[in-house]
Amino acid sequence: MLRREFLQCLASSAVLAEPSGRPNILVMLCDDLGYGDLECYGHPVIKTPNLNRLAEEGVKFTDFYAAAPVCSPSRTGMLTGRTPNRAGVYDWIPAGSPMHMPRSEVTIASLLRSAGYATCHVGKWHCNGKFNSPEQPQPNDHGFDHWFSTQNNAAPSHRDPTNFVRNGQRVGPLKGFSSDIIVDEAISWLDRYPKDRPFCLFVWFHEPHEVVDSPEPLVEGYSRATKKGEALYYANVAQVDQAVGRLLKKLDESNYRQSTFALFTSDNGPETLNRYPNAWRSHGSPGPLRGMKLHLYEGGTRVPGILRWPGRVKPGSVINTPIGFVDLLPTLCEAAGVAAPRDRRLDGASFLPALSGKPLNRKQPLYWQYNHALGEMKVAIRDGDWKLLADAALNRFELYNLRTDISEKNDLSAKEPKRLNAMAQVLKDLHADIQKP
């Protein structure tokens, strides 16, 4: 093959080579970061040089989806590869609540730990109400060897949190900001974990969820912000970017760069400004999308998604294939050579084919159900370019072509009756199946 032809082949694919060996895995998850909050996703003010570089060195997904428009079910969907309603996690989980991700659920971490991976979770957990209690499963029960976590938000704020627990032991008051504290823990763990094993590291930031607090030098960098709380929010996103930069630098210095699948994303869309009294710092942006957190329109579930996988993914790639959190478990199982669970219904599909421009072997559309969603629409599916939303009774529908109408302005349900009826039947059948448990 001529060199010119070889380069043309590379240009047509996001993949440079087939993976060799089992990759290390790093999943970085933000809390309430909007689709439009990063510089590389079009924010006109916030500076995110480290995440810009991550996108330049890897793949930026344009159609990346959380499993729910709110935190706890979204995280459950990411860990299990299943629509979170199947697991009974249907809303955010208050402290002390009986709601939790059941012990019977099989997570990415438990599968990888059984296959020899060293596993670690740092940051926000929010998959149970009775945190650090024997009454409900904790991160170690769901596959994490080491955990340094909080039930929900860093409290009293991101600054000097007091509510972290390390492997079942309360840590007490800490100095500094949450993003730095959890990255420090992640780096410390990377220095100590057994080097004869691959690692699986979940870094779940609290930022930029309320109650927002940010270092003064970063806040001062956004002195032109005029709205109350705006500079605090912008600085909070910039703070996460700096923490990500430190963590990626650690991977490089430890020679993990080439062997690591490193994903950055967010658990749902941005919080609405002033939705509740403490939300006056919530200046997140959904970009061109309709809706925000708690909506089933795109702004509630479509989130940033950036993947760096050196030697496997072509730098600077952009992928438009719809990818969801529920796809992560089957993807990582395939990448690590681990069998995915066969005794339960998985709702996701491996997205490794999408990295080389091939279609996913998706057996069903991406699905969302949130009974407390703002607005009339409570259920939605996405199938290819098309998205269908339904009310709680599954009687009223809205239909959008997201490839031509990213802002969901033009309801095509009246103009596309055949497509509407076909998708409505798929939605109803899937909805009924998910309600069974």
Side-chain angles (χ1 to χ4, degrees):
M1 181 183 289
L2 295 175
R3 181 175 182 273
R4 180 179 65 255
E5 294 171 336
F6 175 69
L7 292 175
Q8 287 173 344
C9 287
L10 290 184
S12 67
S13 169
V15 169
L16 294 178
E18 287 299 316
S20 58
R22 297 191 295 173
N24 296 313
I25 293 160
L26 169 63
V27 177
M28 298 169 282
L29 181 69
C30 275
D31 193 358
D32 289 3
L33 183 78
Y35 185 78
D37 275 344
L38 303 182
E39 189 176 7
C40 53
Y41 276 82
H43 199 284
V45 178
I46 301 175
K47 300 302 179 186
T48 53
N50 294 294
L51 289 164
N52 297 349
R53 189 178 312 115
L54 189 69
E56 291 166 1
E57 295 172 348
V59 168
K60 185 174 82 170
F61 297 98
T62 62
D63 296 49
F64 203 79
Y65 288 96
V70 70
C71 41
S72 299
S74 189
R75 292 157 194 271
T76 298
M78 170 181 275
L79 288 171
T80 64
R82 286 155 53 85
T83 296
N85 302 72
R86 293 190 190 275
V89 180
Y90 52 85
D91 204 351
W92 74 278
I93 304 178
S97 170
M99 195 191 312
H100 64 280
M101 184 168 62
R103 197 178 300 270
S104 58
E105 289 296 319
V106 178
T107 69
I108 297 170
S110 61
L111 289 166
L112 294 179
R113 182 167 69 178
S114 295
Y117 273 73
T119 57
C120 174
H121 177 276
V122 295
K124 177 171 176 173
W125 177 241
H126 215 189
C127 292
N128 62 15
K130 297 180 180 180
F131 182 65
N132 201 33
S133 164
E135 294 183 49
Q136 293 177 357
Q138 305 303 316
N140 56 294
D141 298 307
H142 283 302
F144 292 101
D145 297 322
H146 180 88
W147 53 287
F148 175 73
S149 315
T150 62
Q151 187 266 335
N152 187 357
N153 304 318
S157 73
H158 302 144
R159 188 193 299 260
D160 300 341
T162 62
N163 58 330
F164 272 87
V165 173
R166 181 186 287 115
N167 299 327
Q169 299 298 317
R170 293 190 60 84
V171 177
L174 295 166
K175 285 293 183 183
F177 289 87
S178 174
S179 59
D180 290 328
I181 289 168
I182 68 171
V183 165
D184 286 344
E185 184 80 9
I187 289 173
S188 174
W189 180 80
L190 286 171
D191 284 335
R192 301 191 317 272
Y193 95 95
K195 299 304 184 289
D196 59 340
R197 302 161 64 189
F199 68 76
C200 172
L201 171 59
F202 278 60
V203 179
W204 285 5
F205 295 104
H206 299 91
E207 294 83 358
H209 193 292
E210 294 281 11
V211 178
V212 172
D213 202 349
S214 305
E216 284 75 10
L218 287 178
V219 177
E220 291 166 3
Y222 294 100
S223 58
R224 294 186 180 181
T226 57
K227 299 175 184 176
K228 179 184 177 183
E230 195 172 34
L232 268 173
Y233 185 89
Y234 292 173
N236 211 238
V237 178
Q239 183 185 18
V240 169
D241 180 79
Q242 288 188 358
V244 169
R246 285 204 301 123
L247 186 53
L248 295 177
K249 182 180 178 183
K250 175 63 178 180
L251 294 186
D252 294 351
E253 291 173 346
S254 304
N255 295 320
Y256 294 136
R257 177 190 179 94
Q258 293 301 121
S259 59
T260 301
F261 172 110
L263 177 70
F264 177 90
T265 186
S266 175
D267 67 346
N268 49 248
E271 179 60 82
T272 303
L273 183 64
N274 296 325
R275 183 174 69 86
Y276 56 90
N278 284 336
W280 57 268
R281 292 150 291 218
S282 293
H283 291 271
S285 169
L289 308 178
R290 178 179 177 179
M292 301 177 79
K293 179 181 179 179
L294 306 183
H295 289 87
L296 279 183
Y297 294 107
E298 292 290 281
T301 55
R302 194 190 293 206
V303 291
I306 304 172
L307 171 64
R308 189 183 77 177
W309 199 1
R312 279 66 170 177
V313 174
K314 187 177 73 172
S317 304
V318 176
I319 290 181
N320 305 121
T321 303
I323 305 293
F325 277 17
V326 293
D327 298 327
L328 192 60
L329 183 145
T331 300
L332 294 179
C333 282
E334 183 178 353
V338 175
R342 296 181 180 176
D343 62 343
R344 64 200 60 221
R345 179 75 171 267
L346 295 182
D347 294 295
S350 171
F351 63 75
L352 292 186
L355 301 181
S356 55
K358 299 175 184 176
L360 274 62
N361 182 25
R362 195 180 288 289
K363 297 179 181 179
Q364 64 188 49
L366 291 172
Y367 170 96
W368 299 269
Q369 177 190 347
Y370 184 46
N371 295 339
H372 300 294
L374 300 180
E376 186 180 1
M377 300 294 111
K378 310 298 184 184
V379 186
I381 59 171
R382 174 158 184 183
D383 191 359
D385 293 342
W386 293 87
K387 180 176 176 181
L388 183 71
L389 297 103
D391 65 358
L394 308 187
N395 288 326
R396 184 177 179 278
F397 298 94
E398 294 177 6
L399 179 66
Y400 300 96
N401 185 326
L402 296 178
R403 195 60 58 209
T404 59
D405 181 22
I406 191 174
S407 301
E408 295 171 289
K409 293 179 179 178
N410 303 308
D411 178 6
L412 299 176
S413 56
K415 295 181 179 179
E416 295 268 357
K418 199 170 180 181
R419 186 183 300 275
L420 171 68
N421 291 335
M423 290 188 68
Q425 190 58 55
V426 171
L427 183 149
K428 289 177 180 178
D429 290 346
L430 188 51
H431 181 76
D433 179 69
I434 288 169
Q435 301 319 300
K436 287 178 184 177

